[in-house]
Amino acid sequence: MTAVDELVARALDGDPRAVARLLSLVENGSAELREVAALLTPHAGGAFVVGITGAPGVGKSTTTSALVSAFRARDERVGVLAVDPSSPFTGGALLGDRVRMQEHATDAGVFIRSMATRGHLGGLSWATPQAVRVLDAAGCDIVLVETVGVGQSEVDVAALADTTVVLLAPGLGDGVQAAKAGILEVGDVFVVNKADREGADQVVRDLRATVRMTEHPPGAWRQPILTTVASRGEGLDEVVDAVEKHRSWSADSGEAGRRRVRRARDEIEAIALTGLRRRFAGLHGDARLDELAASVVAGEQDPYTAAEKIVAAMS
Amino acid sequence: MTAVDELVARALDGDPRAVARLLSLVENGSAELREVAALLTPHAGGAFVVGITGAPGVGKSTTTSALVSAFRARDERVGVLAVDPSSPFTGGALLGDRVRMQEHATDAGVFIRSMATRGHLGGLSWATPQAVRVLDAAGCDIVLVETVGVGQSEVDVAALADTTVVLLAPGLGDGVQAAKAGILEVGDVFVVNKADREGADQVVRDLRATVRMTEHPPGAWRQPILTTVASRGEGLDEVVDAVEKHRSWSADSGEAGRRRVRRARDEIEAIALTGLRRRFAGLHGDARLDELAASVVAGEQDPYTAAEKIVAAMS
């Protein structure tokens, strides 16, 4: 067997060190990923993927950790991917928030990994589905994908999750209100954490008003709005119940299948674009692209003309 | 003259309605953009682009508004692009925060525009440089690009700015600390806003420690760390001074030119990739991609094999 064959075989048996090594290959964009994906694909598809997202400071790590406990209490094997798109350059994921996960560190039924997604185009959309596939094939029943931040990463996590939990919290300033518009479109379950703090009621009321204003055709999913105090473990069973309820609804309505096809489609596109990008670089080298860029800066040609030269050369 | 010709001619004269219409063409990904870019490119390159970024709640809009006043006091024409990548679905940019910009709404020397960047790959990286070019060619001396959020959008705004101002504030929870690692790589000027609040000193100390730990070769730019209370206008002149100082350093060191070439390069790549994506869709249709995606979901083939079929068909 080749090294990758063996690694995959061990990961399929649930060996945590083999899983960790495969995740490193994903994170580093290894050339062996293609082989890894080919070997894993027939064994993947069993895991239920839950996305957890929200602005910084809402208590994502605490909530994720509590959800791990809740799913473990139901005897499910749980994988956690904490994806941090805010450190594209440094590479290493930040460990500060992960401290809260320590209680699960010695539980053989839990696999936790922090990932940084480097690179520009398609960082999260490219690496995360592959990392999910590793955990899925390794036998995780649930994969929790936690993303820091608002904005594009939120949309990306929703695109790859079966169920997306959006966290909010009171007292985070009006930026959070602004973020809601985007959040509402991606959330299947809303959780207002730090519900014991002043202003929590207002956040709940605002959310309710907005959910009411959203169109819900007959049979559509109505996003529940739950409250938690994750630091004290309060309200988390209800979150798990809501996630399970969304899971059943998705299966019955066919939404689950549609999301998975969309997820695979996004992944195929991301991989194809990466391949095409590499081909540009191979055909022209970085110097040629810099030359074109310099001529655009000088006002000699517009960027469309420059782009067309690249595209034409690839046909 | 064609309609676009005329629109561009009016925008070059600084007609705000023509500028607004061109920005709408950019936002909507109009087919006429190519012509617009060709007509604008020879007139662009004069504007100095300042990126303003930071987590939700740090006071970006208040700071941007105050910077507009400060630059106006120096008699510069100012364009503001408030880019909101968190609403990819809703389309419309959020106006809540923009209220603070009202004081500038009647100033003919200021052009303000909120933009939503829809779409998945390359949203911000594709539309923003084009929008900057419109404001640049229309005679803005300064273009302020404000982005909500942390994560990828931060990196994107830094890639297109001549100078990037990163805002922080105390009391936003440990998520902000986590975001710093990414922030440090992209900031040219750090501003701790809400400096009258508890915890501001600690944020400044943390930043100082981290800047100290970063390698600075001889002649490199050392990021200043400033404090402001933007809501009361305190400290903003110092921010403008720091931005101007970075501008001079960039010009002298050649960094300004390098950044502009990189910016053009990113834009050319983004346009080329958009063209390639369209070609896939044209060649295979969405149905073919869905078929491939469904076979990946079924475990019949891995996503690399599927992606290869697409790439191969394009050669």
Side-chain angles (χ1 to χ4, degrees):
Chain A
M1 284 206 290
T2 66
V4 168
D5 271 353
E6 203 189 300
L7 204 55
V8 168
R10 280 168 47 208
L12 291 175
D13 276 345
D15 171 357
R17 277 192 298 182
V19 171
R21 280 203 46 206
L22 287 178
L23 290 174
S24 296
L25 294 181
V26 168
E27 199 173 20
N28 299 326
S30 154
E32 287 155 322
L33 280 184
R34 198 196 153 134
E35 199 184 341
V36 171
L39 293 167
L40 292 177
T41 302
H43 304 281
F48 177 61
V49 182
V50 180
I52 297 163
T53 189
V58 295
K60 282 185 297 296
S61 294
T62 314
T63 303
T64 302
S65 179
L67 287 176
V68 172
S69 302
F71 281 114
R72 286 299 292 145
R74 297 175 186 210
D75 218 27
E76 312 238 43
R77 294 193 64 192
V78 183
V80 178
L81 285 174
V83 184
D84 184 354
S86 73
S87 62
F89 297 105
T90 49
L94 295 151
L95 286 168
D97 277 351
R98 300 286 87 74
V99 173
R100 294 182 188 124
M101 292 286 177
Q102 271 180 351
E103 53 174 309
H104 304 296
T106 54
D107 179 349
V110 181
F111 193 94
I112 298 170
R113 175 68 167 234
S114 288
M115 279 179 72
T117 57
R118 262 152 290 186
H120 190 64
L121 274 164
L124 185 57
S125 60
W126 184 84
T128 317
Q130 309 220 38
V132 168
R133 182 177 297 113
V134 171
L135 293 172
D136 182 345
C140 289
D141 302 301
I142 307 279
V143 177
L144 301 175
V145 182
E146 177 198 326
T147 59
V148 179
V150 294
Q152 194 56 45
S153 59
E154 214 163 72
V155 179
D156 287 341
V157 79
L160 74 86
D162 295 311
T163 298
T164 300
V165 178
V166 170
L167 292 185
L168 294 104
L172 284 177
D174 47 14
V176 176
Q177 310 303 316
K180 266 190 220 158
I183 271 176
L184 281 172
E185 311 275 346
V186 302
D188 300 309
V189 173
F190 293 112
V191 176
V192 179
N193 189 29
K194 306 187 183 182
D196 54 343
R197 296 210 189 158
E198 208 186 304
D201 292 350
Q202 189 58 48
V203 177
V204 171
R205 272 197 299 274
D206 288 354
L207 270 174
R208 274 205 195 115
T210 322
V211 169
R212 259 199 311 272
M213 279 167 52
T214 314
E215 228 181 302
H216 290 90
W221 173 254
R222 272 192 172 272
Q223 301 104 317
I225 298 161
L226 306 168
T227 53
T228 55
V229 184
S231 58
R232 295 203 301 258
E234 290 174 21
L236 286 149
D237 279 338
E238 288 77 4
V239 176
V240 174
D241 287 342
V243 166
E244 291 291 356
K245 208 177 266 179
H246 181 259
R247 182 184 195 169
S248 306
W249 172 85
S250 293
D252 296 346
S253 67
E255 176 67 11
R258 282 191 294 275
R259 288 197 187 184
R260 289 187 171 217
V261 169
R262 197 178 58 198
R263 192 198 305 178
R265 193 189 149 128
D266 287 349
E267 190 185 6
I268 294 167
E269 269 204 327
I271 293 172
L273 285 175
T274 306
L276 288 168
R277 279 192 124 200
R278 263 196 215 120
R279 225 154 74 185
F280 276 20
L283 280 174
H284 307 288
D286 282 353
R288 172 73 180 129
L289 194 49
D290 276 346
E291 247 173 63
L292 287 169
S295 79
V296 170
V297 171
E300 292 158 9
Q301 64 182 321
D302 66 86
Y304 284 84
T305 306
E308 200 164 69
K309 285 175 188 162
I310 292 171
V311 175
M314 290 187 53
S315 305
Chain B
M1 284 207 289
T2 66
V4 169
D5 272 352
E6 203 189 301
L7 204 55
V8 168
R10 280 168 46 208
L12 291 175
D13 277 344
D15 172 356
R17 277 192 298 181
V19 171
R21 280 203 46 207
L22 288 178
L23 290 175
S24 296
L25 294 181
V26 169
E27 198 172 22
N28 299 327
S30 156
E32 287 156 322
L33 280 185
R34 197 197 155 136
E35 199 184 340
V36 171
L39 294 166
L40 291 177
T41 302
H43 303 280
F48 178 61
V49 182
V50 180
I52 297 164
T53 191
V58 295
K60 282 184 296 297
S61 295
T62 314
T63 303
T64 302
S65 180
L67 288 176
V68 172
S69 303
F71 282 115
R72 286 300 292 144
R74 298 175 186 209
D75 218 27
E76 312 238 41
R77 294 193 64 193
V78 183
V80 179
L81 286 174
V83 183
D84 185 353
S86 73
S87 63
F89 298 105
T90 50
L94 295 151
L95 286 167
D97 277 350
R98 301 284 88 73
V99 172
R100 295 186 187 121
M101 292 286 178
Q102 271 181 352
E103 54 174 307
H104 304 297
T106 55
D107 179 348
V110 181
F111 193 94
I112 298 170
R113 175 69 167 235
S114 287
M115 280 179 73
T117 56
R118 260 154 291 185
H120 191 64
L121 275 165
L124 184 59
S125 61
W126 184 84
T128 318
Q130 310 220 36
V132 167
R133 182 178 296 114
V134 170
L135 294 172
D136 181 346
C140 289
D141 302 301
I142 307 280
V143 177
L144 301 175
V145 182
E146 177 197 325
T147 58
V148 179
V150 293
Q152 195 56 45
S153 59
E154 213 163 71
V155 179
D156 287 342
V157 77
L160 75 83
D162 294 311
T163 299
T164 300
V165 177
V166 171
L167 291 186
L168 294 103
L172 284 175
D174 47 14
V176 175
Q177 310 303 317
K180 266 190 218 159
I183 271 176
L184 281 172
E185 311 274 348
V186 303
D188 299 308
V189 173
F190 294 112
V191 176
V192 178
N193 189 29
K194 307 187 183 180
D196 53 343
R197 296 211 189 158
E198 207 185 305
D201 291 351
Q202 189 59 46
V203 177
V204 170
R205 271 197 300 274
D206 288 355
L207 271 174
R208 273 206 196 116
T210 323
V211 168
R212 257 199 312 269
M213 279 166 52
T214 314
E215 227 182 303
H216 290 89
W221 173 252
R222 273 194 170 269
Q223 301 104 318
I225 298 161
L226 305 168
T227 55
T228 55
V229 184
S231 58
R232 295 203 301 257
E234 290 173 21
L236 287 148
D237 279 338
E238 287 78 5
V239 176
V240 174
D241 287 341
V243 166
E244 291 289 357
K245 208 176 269 180
H246 182 259
R247 183 184 194 168
S248 306
W249 172 84
S250 293
D252 295 346
S253 66
E255 177 66 12
R258 281 191 294 276
R259 288 198 187 184
R260 289 187 170 216
V261 168
R262 197 178 60 197
R263 191 198 305 178
R265 195 189 147 128
D266 287 349
E267 190 184 7
I268 294 167
E269 270 204 327
I271 293 171
L273 284 175
T274 305
L276 289 168
R277 279 192 124 201
R278 261 196 218 121
R279 224 152 75 182
F280 281 13
L283 280 174
H284 308 287
D286 281 353
R288 172 74 180 127
L289 194 49
D290 277 345
E291 247 173 64
L292 287 169
S295 79
V296 170
V297 171
E300 292 158 9
Q301 64 182 320
D302 66 87
Y304 285 84
T305 305
E308 199 165 68
K309 284 176 188 160
I310 293 172
V311 175
M314 291 188 51
S315 306

